[in-house]
Amino acid sequence: MLIVQKFGGTSVGDLDRIQNVANRVSATVKEGNDVVVVVSAMSGETNKLVGYAEHFSKNPSAPEMDMLLSAGERVTASLLSIALQEMGHDATAMTGRKAGIVTDVHHTKARIERIDPAVMQSAIKKGQIIVVAGFQGVNEEGDVTTLGRGGSDLSAVAIAGALQADLCEIYTDVSGIFTTDPRIEPKAKKLEKISYEEMLELASLGAKVLQNRSVEMAKKLNVNLVTRTSFSNEEGTLITKEENIMEAPLVSGIALDRNQARISLMGVKDRPGIASDIFNKLATAEVNVDMIIQNKAHDGTTNIDFTVPVGDLQDAKNVVDSFVKDGEIEDDSYNEDICKVSVVGVGMRSHTGVAARAFSTMADNNININMIATSEIKVSMVIDEKYAELAVRGLHDTYELDK
Ligand code: ASP
Ligand code: MG
């Protein structure tokens, strides 16, 4: 097999841990696999470099930042390659440039445009272990670029796609994706497999494990992703195409998003174009709107409720206030003490009653539901934040996710 193994900052956090990674890579090679390794900078290193730049400037130039920040990954790639050579392996360290990663021109948040895999392919043919510095590429002008914070996952997925690797393993300090947050429900179980679509919906469960951008890219390039820990031999979670999961459970997981605020607009003028006006202004202000509900109110007005991330609330308030001032909205109110719980599973597509059971669970626990949204594979409910844990545990029980 051809396996891409990506090690995050904590996995290469000190020299002993880099040796530990070298041992794991060595073992994978000895099992008869070709391995391409992608590494992050040692944990804390990128922040340290950002701090150095800020010592000199509040607004350091982006091309210089890219040259600076890409250094962290070069350190770990070189050290890991040296460690592997010392163990008798033919290893070679590569920058993003040498690995053929070509990006657009957007310094500090570049997008990968293509990968020219020829150099990597010929190294693999020679039997070499390639160790690539993650998080970086090169633009058409030949400048170093970086892919945005946390971007070395993207490097790994893109490389796995370009080389048509059999597997892309993402090693972190978390052992996989769980049915829900184990700190809330200790009975949460690690999932063996999950589809890309479910993973994207369960983002809040995987946020610390995998960037959504990486999951989207894996889906697009059809890369089999595994998240697992570098600190033990425990099996991780495979994220793959729905077709590869033979017996999809009805529900795969329960996600909780505490980072939501609700905005209620009362007495909104009921005229064609009003929703378009409000939500276009919100979009222009880069407010990320999630759930929206509209109801008929009294004579010629409607009520509109919607949710936004807490961090976008102030921007949203500014937009809404301008409509209140213009007399298009009578009154508004805000509530930050809410959360969103979501039941996610591809099995819902072919089964009825999943949403009804979620509502019953809330009823049994005396939890009032403020808002509801559904998609083919998800039921989301907005409830008061103080019931968050009760709701998650109740739903975990209802769908027997501990079994
Ligand atoms: N070192 C970079 C960061 O800290 C990229 C990464 O770790 O994925 O954001
Ligand atoms: Mg990371």
Side-chain angles (χ1 to χ4, degrees):
M1 291 214 289
L2 172 58
I3 305 179
V4 172
Q5 296 188 319
K6 186 261 166 177
F7 296 91
T10 50
S11 300
V12 293
D14 61 33
L15 301 182
D16 285 341
R17 287 183 174 178
I18 292 177
Q19 183 61 57
N20 176 46
V21 166
N23 297 344
R24 182 179 293 268
V25 173
S26 173
T28 313
V29 169
K30 284 185 180 143
E31 284 163 14
N33 302 294
D34 290 318
V35 180
V36 176
V37 187
V38 177
V39 286
S40 285
M42 294 162 92
S43 59
E45 204 53 33
T46 309
N47 288 340
K48 195 171 96 190
L49 295 172
V50 171
Y52 286 167
E54 286 172 351
H55 175 79
F56 297 103
S57 167
K58 278 205 187 76
N59 189 17
S61 82
E64 272 63 27
M65 284 310 280
D66 274 350
M67 190 154 137
L68 176 67
L69 298 192
S70 62
E73 271 71 11
R74 295 172 74 133
V75 170
T76 40
S78 324
L79 292 176
L80 178 58
S81 188
I82 292 169
L84 285 164
Q85 289 167 355
E86 199 56 28
M87 295 170 80
H89 289 287
D90 185 1
T92 179
M94 293 189 188
T95 56
R97 178 192 308 271
K98 184 152 188 198
I101 300 174
V102 181
T103 72
D104 65 14
V105 296
H106 291 104
H107 281 289
T108 75
K109 45 181 185 300
R111 288 191 165 266
I112 298 177
E113 283 193 333
R114 62 170 200 280
I115 294 188
D116 300 328
V119 174
M120 285 193 287
Q121 276 161 344
S122 75
I124 293 168
K125 220 175 249 154
K126 281 192 259 171
Q128 291 186 304
I129 303 174
I130 304 171
V131 188
V132 184
F135 175 53
Q136 57 183 270
V138 62
N139 65 21
E140 298 284 1
E141 262 104 78
D143 305 314
V144 179
T145 52
T146 61
L147 309 177
R149 297 303 305 270
S152 51
D153 288 350
L154 276 179
S155 309
V157 174
I159 287 172
L163 296 172
Q164 295 189 298
D166 298 284
L167 213 56
C168 179
E169 296 182 326
I170 308 278
Y171 286 89
T172 69
D173 48 3
V174 187
S175 68
I177 310 297
F178 285 75
T179 48
T180 197
D181 185 342
R183 285 166 309 182
I184 296 178
E185 173 51 275
K187 287 187 286 187
K189 285 184 71 174
K190 190 163 59 192
L191 292 157
E192 198 185 315
K193 291 180 183 179
I194 185 171
S195 68
Y196 300 119
E197 289 80 2
E198 289 168 309
M199 188 65 235
L200 290 167
E201 295 288 11
L202 288 171
S204 73
L205 294 180
K208 282 150 246 118
V209 192
L210 265 185
Q211 285 181 314
N212 256 13
R213 240 175 114 193
S214 310
V215 179
E216 274 159 13
M217 187 186 282
K219 182 179 168 201
K220 193 168 119 204
L221 301 178
N222 211 354
V223 169
N224 285 315
L225 264 186
V226 170
T227 69
R228 54 188 299 183
T229 173
S230 58
F231 300 122
S232 79
N233 280 324
E234 236 179 285
E235 299 279 338
T237 301
L238 172 67
I239 304 160
T240 187
K241 272 201 291 211
E242 202 177 319
E243 298 93 283
N244 294 341
I245 302 171
M246 297 298 264
E247 299 234 4
L250 188 59
V251 168
S252 292
I254 313 294
L256 171 65
D257 185 353
R258 295 179 190 271
N259 183 36
Q260 293 274 321
R262 171 181 173 160
I263 301 178
S264 303
L265 310 180
M266 278 82 69
V268 181
K269 278 242 166 74
D270 198 7
R271 62 159 173 88
I274 181 77
S276 155
D277 288 349
I278 296 172
F279 290 99
N280 273 310
K281 279 241 173 77
L282 288 164
T284 310
E286 287 181 39
V287 172
N288 206 336
V289 176
D290 184 13
M291 287 191 207
I292 304 174
I293 290 182
Q294 179 177 11
N295 290 315
K296 275 261 178 258
H298 55 89
D299 31 73
T301 69
T302 66
N303 293 337
I304 298 178
D305 280 51
F306 59 97
T307 62
V308 300
V310 170
D312 289 358
L313 186 55
Q314 192 52 50
D315 289 335
K317 277 182 182 171
N318 295 341
V319 170
V320 168
D321 285 347
S322 71
F323 283 90
V324 175
K325 221 186 261 146
D326 294 345
E328 298 255 76
I329 297 174
E330 275 166 28
D331 203 5
D332 51 16
S333 70
Y334 306 91
N335 186 355
E336 286 183 60
D337 302 323
I338 58 151
C339 67
K340 181 173 78 172
V341 278
S342 303
V343 178
V344 176
V346 289
M348 278 181 218
R349 283 209 182 108
S350 46
H351 288 83
T352 54
V354 176
R357 283 170 74 192
F359 304 152
S360 304
T361 306
M362 297 301 109
D364 294 345
N365 286 286
N366 253 318
I367 301 171
N368 193 41
I369 305 171
N370 296 325
M371 297 170 96
I372 298 167
T374 63
S375 79
E376 259 196 304
I377 65 165
K378 182 174 79 167
V379 179
S380 293
M381 295 168 287
V382 169
I383 60 172
D384 288 352
E385 180 147 31
K386 60 179 184 241
Y387 298 123
E389 311 207 334
L390 185 62
V392 167
R393 284 195 290 262
L395 292 166
H396 201 267
D397 244 31
T398 295
Y399 301 103
E400 302 184 326
L401 296 181
D402 55 334
K403 298 282 154 63

